[in-house]
Amino acid sequence: MRYQLGTDQIPEAWFNVAAHLPEPPAPPIHPGTGNPVGPEDLAPLFPMALIGQEVSTAAWVDIPGEVLDVLALWRPTPLVRARRLERALDTPARIYYKDESVSPAGSHKPNTAVPQVFYNKVEGITRIATETGAGQWGSALAYACQTFGLDCQIYMVAASYHQKPYRRVLIETWGGHVVPSPSDRTEAGRTVLKRDPDCSGSLGIAISEAVEDAATRPDTHYSLGSVLNHVLLHQTVIGLEAKRQLEQAGEGLPDVVIGSCGGGSNLAGIALPFVPHRSEGVRLVAVEPSACPTLTAGRYEYDFGDEAGMTPKLLMYTLGHGFIPPPIHAGGLRYHGDAPIICNLVKNGWMQAIAYPQGKVFEAAIQFARTQGPVPAPETAHAIRGAIDEALAAREAGQERVILFNYSGHGLLDLGAYDDFLHGRLVDV
Amino acid sequence: MRYQLGTDQIPEAWFNVAAHLPEPPAPPIHPGTGNPVGPEDLAPLFPMALIGQEVSTAAWVDIPGEVLDVLALWRPTPLVRARRLERALDTPARIYYKDESVSPAGSHKPNTAVPQVFYNKVEGITRIATETGAGQWGSALAYACQTFGLDCQIYMVAASYHQKPYRRVLIETWGGHVVPSPSDRTEAGRTVLKRDPDCSGSLGIAISEAVEDAATRPDTHYSLGSVLNHVLLHQTVIGLEAKRQLEQAGEGLPDVVIGSCGGGSNLAGIALPFVPHRSEGVRLVAVEPSACPTLTAGRYEYDFGDEAGMTPKLLMYTLGHGFIPPPIHAGGLRYHGDAPIICNLVKNGWMQAIAYPQGKVFEAAIQFARTQGPVPAPETAHAIRGAIDEALAAREAGQERVILFNYSGHGLLDLGAYDDFLHGRLVDV
């Protein structure tokens, strides 16, 4: 059963959780001065509108009409009751998922790529640079740039560029320019290549290249796909729609809201609008890979956002900015830190975090595909594992429970991982 | 703008065009006796319910509730007005497309896979065998078999099995068994392998293997993804929904209805419900590749359905059952014949057919992706090319026109073709 809102029912404002957090957000710290970062520090990289959203305490932030027009190409996304999965689990729980895989890029990422590109365009920027690992973020940004007529330059980790060509092709189909990183286009890239001409790259190097590209060209800004407050803000359309759709389904509030957590943006998107309902018993759950257990085994302290140590420091759970996670298939969850807003909630006990090895995660993905049909992204399958275990717990307890999770993206460009799992080549690391 | 019907608005009966055809359907001919094929000839391969539908003259055929329950997982599919494409073309035409890519398998194929598996299950069959080329049909049938708990055995053309592993993985994710064809599982396969151990296979050989598998096992039936009357019947939900959605959009009948044509099933799905409206000025258009110009350059005569010449003969346009089309990227359109119902319409001037080289088709695909967002399957891009040219003709004529086309599937598993096109490696053959 799917619950579908009309295109006139897309939320017209983003929900800002700032005023509802257990403790006030800690400011980013300038890596050179040790002082809080000010708007002027960020201005070479981001438009003022986004810098303003980063520190806004307004309860709601209006979504511009031009952004709504584009979001309406796939939003509101469906809320689906997973009855066949419920039946297979023989659970009294009712499982709902919000299907963010229906966007052109196949994930929740365009929800923030579109407004980010829009605000840049309004401020006269004509070109955006970013980094991408496996390509989820890069493809979403290329799509958004194409929509508003901006150039898009993407530094893609060289290993992924060569081994996972499909998302590179997606970027190019939408007119984006993509080079393997390290590249000879930047000082940062050339330095690495001089040291190691065969370097297969890392997200840290790619970030350095994209930031340098943006900082050294007046027509160009930088764009980030997760972690920062304004990115999480843009994703709240997910939870706001889900709330209305649960009402449409005759449900009150959910008992538990679940999302996978890499940088935190898809989790924030579905969970933040439910933070004010914590007192009414809504539990929030972050699911991460045990191979990169930031929230469950990291330390809560100021750390750099990138591996190279060039960005402002953020107060968050971190495994250390030098942490290199093993090469699990959920590439989007391989991040040493997490969004400060998510960490704030977890630190104060307002959100629970659990970690799973990838074998258990792929078992859940297969069970979902064989009951409901769609094949989830490996990242998304973490949330599915969490939802299935909640449903099994409800059966044990003999309780009806309403479970809501974010189906953040499809796995059609990740079928190599399924091939490994189905043929016994996937190992838990 | 998307037009979305409620899940309670899926059509409850399929539209049977038999009573509306320009001339009565010609019966299939038994290759041995030369007589019309009877139900008893088909019974080893198909359930009686489908054999009945193949020759039914009823105006409507009820869709079983168990089938509707599964179709409701993704149906009704959205009807989308392609306003951004219209703007890019500067056309007074209004372009609508029916988005069949939202099914679990990413195409229209599950519309018939689901009822076919259901009717087999009702008659006690526990296993289905079929062939697949690039894997669109195989993945749809594996999904449907998983849904109803039947085993699924797929003979996949060896070249595709090895070169396009992603749809093979999709089949396995849904629990299907897939072997490269020719295989050593059948007499037909073993004969070919004895002659040529490195044979890379063909659809003809794969059909022979699947038919032999089904004919020699009492628990197993055979299943076909296009061409036959009952397959086209099942696809009419597409056009029936589109009709209601055009009303929802405030339109009357469309001026032109367009579909790509390989075997004819997706084209039939959107076009057949509009056949009775021909007298009201609705034009129907089939778009095929000029590399396999069945309708535009074939002869209208009885020919075998397979390359090996083992199936009943059908009255259709054909390039000859020995015709081997060049390896274009739209694998689903590489068929020497076409559905007899479609050929009947074309022969009598009730449907127009046009052919395009694949370079022009990929230009249309890129223009669609860069305006609307989604990346179409190469097969689907043929219909897009047709729709764009209709919209340009409307501009030339200074006429408002309502154009409806079938977006039969996404291209996320065909990005290699886009890579070739974008980097100048795609040639017109």
Side-chain angles (χ1 to χ4, degrees):
Chain A
M1 190 67 185
R2 282 171 302 138
Y3 300 91
Q4 189 79 46
L5 302 170
T7 44
D8 55 342
Q9 291 174 295
I10 303 175
E12 291 176 3
W14 291 299
F15 172 76
N16 189 357
V17 79
H20 304 273
L21 291 175
E23 51 185 307
I29 296 294
H30 193 290
T33 65
N35 294 325
V37 165
E40 66 286 359
D41 297 313
L42 300 172
L45 297 181
F46 301 102
M48 288 312 295
L50 293 177
I51 295 172
Q53 288 178 4
E54 192 64 20
V55 295
S56 168
T57 53
W60 296 89
V61 178
D62 284 348
I63 307 179
E66 294 89 337
V67 171
L68 287 173
D69 279 352
V70 180
L71 296 183
L73 288 169
W74 71 92
R75 305 206 70 84
T77 63
L79 181 78
V80 187
R81 173 137 176 224
R83 296 194 89 126
R84 283 167 193 265
L85 178 60
E86 290 171 16
R87 247 173 269 152
L89 298 171
D90 191 23
T91 177
R94 296 190 292 283
I95 306 175
Y96 294 87
Y97 67 90
K98 183 70 170 155
D99 187 1
E100 292 296 308
S101 76
V102 298
S103 81
S107 78
H108 66 292
K109 292 288 186 189
N111 294 333
T112 184
V114 169
Q116 286 194 48
V117 172
F118 169 74
Y119 288 119
N120 274 290
K121 177 175 180 154
V122 167
E123 295 192 16
I125 290 295
T126 59
R127 183 172 173 276
I128 297 185
T130 197
E131 73 286 339
T132 198
Q136 280 277 22
W137 170 241
S139 55
L141 191 69
Y143 161 70
C145 282
Q146 176 62 235
T147 295
F148 288 110
L150 274 69
D151 281 337
C152 187
Q153 177 63 52
I154 291 166
Y155 295 88
M156 185 170 185
V157 174
S160 295
Y161 181 95
H162 295 297
Q163 286 161 24
K164 299 187 176 181
Y166 267 18
R167 283 214 179 82
R168 164 183 65 74
V169 179
L170 206 48
I171 290 168
E172 294 178 333
T173 297
W174 284 317
H177 304 284
V178 51
V179 290
S181 167
S183 78
D184 60 3
R185 297 175 60 94
T186 66
E187 193 53 43
R190 286 188 293 270
T191 305
V192 174
L193 286 174
K194 192 178 280 179
R195 216 167 47 217
D196 176 8
D198 299 322
C199 176
S200 62
S202 74
L203 208 53
I205 297 168
I207 292 176
S208 303
E209 291 208 277
V211 169
E212 179 186 325
D213 181 317
T216 54
R217 287 184 57 157
D219 63 346
T220 301
H221 268 169
Y222 172 69
S223 183
L224 203 66
S226 191
V227 178
L228 299 183
N229 299 347
H230 69 271
V231 180
L232 275 55
L233 176 77
H234 300 158
Q235 294 292 355
T236 58
V237 289
I238 301 172
L240 293 170
E241 287 177 6
K243 232 179 193 178
R244 293 182 69 168
Q245 288 164 312
L246 282 173
E247 283 167 26
Q248 202 185 12
E251 303 284 3
L253 289 165
D255 292 290
V256 57
V257 181
I258 303 171
S260 65
C261 190
S265 78
N266 98 74
L267 167 64
I270 197 146
L272 296 188
F274 291 97
V275 167
H277 300 285
R278 201 184 141 258
S279 56
E280 295 159 82
V282 180
R283 286 187 296 125
L284 309 178
V285 177
V287 186
E288 62 184 13
S290 48
C292 188
T294 316
L295 296 171
T296 52
R299 278 173 310 174
Y300 192 66
E301 61 187 27
Y302 268 103
D303 194 8
F304 296 103
D306 64 332
E307 287 169 70
M310 290 168 54
T311 69
K313 287 183 164 183
L314 302 170
L315 181 58
M316 59 183 178
Y317 282 97
T318 174
L319 297 164
H321 63 276
F323 177 79
I324 300 188
I328 55 171
H329 286 291
L333 307 185
R334 296 175 70 241
Y335 184 61
H336 69 274
D338 267 319
I341 285 175
I342 295 294
C343 296
N344 188 334
L345 292 169
V346 171
K347 179 72 170 67
N348 289 280
W350 287 25
M351 180 182 273
Q352 177 195 348
I354 47 178
Y356 289 110
Q358 69 177 347
K360 296 283 288 177
V361 167
F362 273 90
E363 279 171 24
I366 293 283
Q367 184 166 32
F368 184 85
R370 291 188 179 174
T371 50
Q372 292 298 126
V375 178
E379 292 83 356
T380 306
H382 286 73
I384 296 174
R385 176 80 264 166
I388 287 176
D389 285 1
E390 283 283 345
L392 293 174
R395 185 177 71 182
E396 285 303 303
Q399 287 177 342
E400 288 190 25
R401 278 184 206 166
V402 176
I403 299 168
L404 171 66
F405 75 87
N406 196 14
Y407 189 84
S408 54
H410 64 65
L412 294 174
L413 301 184
D414 305 284
L415 288 171
Y418 283 86
D419 201 17
D420 286 349
F421 178 74
L422 291 166
H423 295 280
R425 294 190 301 267
L426 185 140
V427 287
D428 278 326
V429 281
Chain B
M1 191 68 185
R2 280 170 303 138
Y3 300 91
Q4 188 80 47
L5 301 171
T7 44
D8 54 342
Q9 291 174 293
I10 303 174
E12 291 177 2
W14 292 297
F15 171 76
N16 190 357
V17 79
H20 304 272
L21 290 175
E23 54 184 305
I29 297 293
H30 193 289
T33 65
N35 294 325
V37 166
E40 66 288 357
D41 296 311
L42 300 172
L45 297 181
F46 300 102
M48 287 313 294
L50 293 177
I51 294 172
Q53 289 178 5
E54 193 62 20
V55 295
S56 169
T57 53
W60 296 89
V61 178
D62 284 346
I63 307 179
E66 295 89 336
V67 171
L68 286 173
D69 280 351
V70 179
L71 296 184
L73 289 168
W74 71 91
R75 301 208 74 85
T77 62
L79 181 79
V80 186
R81 171 134 179 228
R83 296 195 88 123
R84 285 168 190 265
L85 178 60
E86 290 170 17
R87 247 173 271 153
L89 298 172
D90 190 23
T91 177
R94 297 190 291 284
I95 306 174
Y96 295 87
Y97 66 90
K98 184 70 172 155
D99 186 0
E100 291 296 307
S101 76
V102 299
S103 82
S107 78
H108 65 292
K109 292 288 186 189
N111 294 334
T112 184
V114 168
Q116 286 195 46
V117 173
F118 169 75
Y119 288 119
N120 274 290
K121 179 175 178 154
V122 167
E123 295 192 17
I125 290 296
T126 59
R127 183 172 173 277
I128 297 185
T130 198
E131 72 286 338
T132 199
Q136 280 277 23
W137 169 242
S139 55
L141 191 69
Y143 161 70
C145 282
Q146 176 62 236
T147 296
F148 288 110
L150 273 68
D151 282 338
C152 187
Q153 177 63 52
I154 291 166
Y155 296 87
M156 186 170 185
V157 174
S160 294
Y161 181 94
H162 295 297
Q163 286 160 25
K164 299 188 175 178
Y166 267 19
R167 284 215 178 85
R168 165 183 63 76
V169 179
L170 206 48
I171 290 168
E172 294 178 332
T173 297
W174 284 316
H177 304 284
V178 52
V179 290
S181 166
S183 77
D184 61 3
R185 296 175 60 96
T186 65
E187 193 54 43
R190 286 188 294 269
T191 304
V192 174
L193 286 174
K194 191 178 280 179
R195 214 167 49 217
D196 176 8
D198 298 321
C199 176
S200 62
S202 74
L203 208 53
I205 297 169
I207 293 175
S208 304
E209 290 207 278
V211 169
E212 179 186 327
D213 181 318
T216 55
R217 286 183 57 156
D219 63 346
T220 301
H221 268 169
Y222 172 70
S223 183
L224 203 65
S226 191
V227 178
L228 299 183
N229 300 347
H230 68 271
V231 180
L232 274 56
L233 177 77
H234 299 157
Q235 294 292 355
T236 58
V237 289
I238 301 171
L240 293 170
E241 287 177 6
K243 232 178 193 179
R244 294 182 68 168
Q245 288 164 313
L246 282 173
E247 284 168 27
Q248 201 184 13
E251 304 284 4
L253 288 166
D255 292 289
V256 56
V257 181
I258 303 170
S260 65
C261 189
S265 78
N266 98 76
L267 167 64
I270 197 144
L272 296 189
F274 291 97
V275 167
H277 299 285
R278 199 183 144 262
S279 56
E280 294 159 82
V282 180
R283 285 188 297 125
L284 309 178
V285 177
V287 186
E288 62 184 13
S290 48
C292 188
T294 315
L295 296 170
T296 52
R299 279 173 308 177
Y300 192 67
E301 61 186 29
Y302 268 102
D303 194 9
F304 296 102
D306 64 332
E307 287 170 69
M310 291 168 53
T311 69
K313 286 183 165 186
L314 302 171
L315 181 57
M316 58 183 178
Y317 282 97
T318 175
L319 298 163
H321 64 276
F323 178 78
I324 300 189
I328 55 168
H329 285 291
L333 306 186
R334 295 175 71 243
Y335 184 61
H336 68 275
D338 268 318
I341 285 176
I342 295 293
C343 297
N344 189 333
L345 293 169
V346 171
K347 179 73 171 66
N348 290 280
W350 287 24
M351 179 182 274
Q352 177 194 350
I354 46 178
Y356 289 111
Q358 68 176 347
K360 297 283 289 174
V361 167
F362 272 90
E363 279 171 24
I366 293 283
Q367 183 167 31
F368 184 85
R370 291 188 179 174
T371 50
Q372 292 298 125
V375 178
E379 292 83 356
T380 306
H382 286 72
I384 296 174
R385 176 79 266 165
I388 287 176
D389 284 1
E390 282 285 345
L392 294 174
R395 185 177 71 182
E396 285 303 304
Q399 288 179 341
E400 288 191 25
R401 278 185 204 165
V402 176
I403 299 169
L404 170 67
F405 75 87
N406 196 15
Y407 190 84
S408 55
H410 64 66
L412 294 173
L413 301 184
D414 304 284
L415 288 171
Y418 283 85
D419 201 18
D420 285 350
F421 177 73
L422 291 166
H423 295 279
R425 294 190 299 268
L426 185 140
V427 288
D428 278 326
V429 281

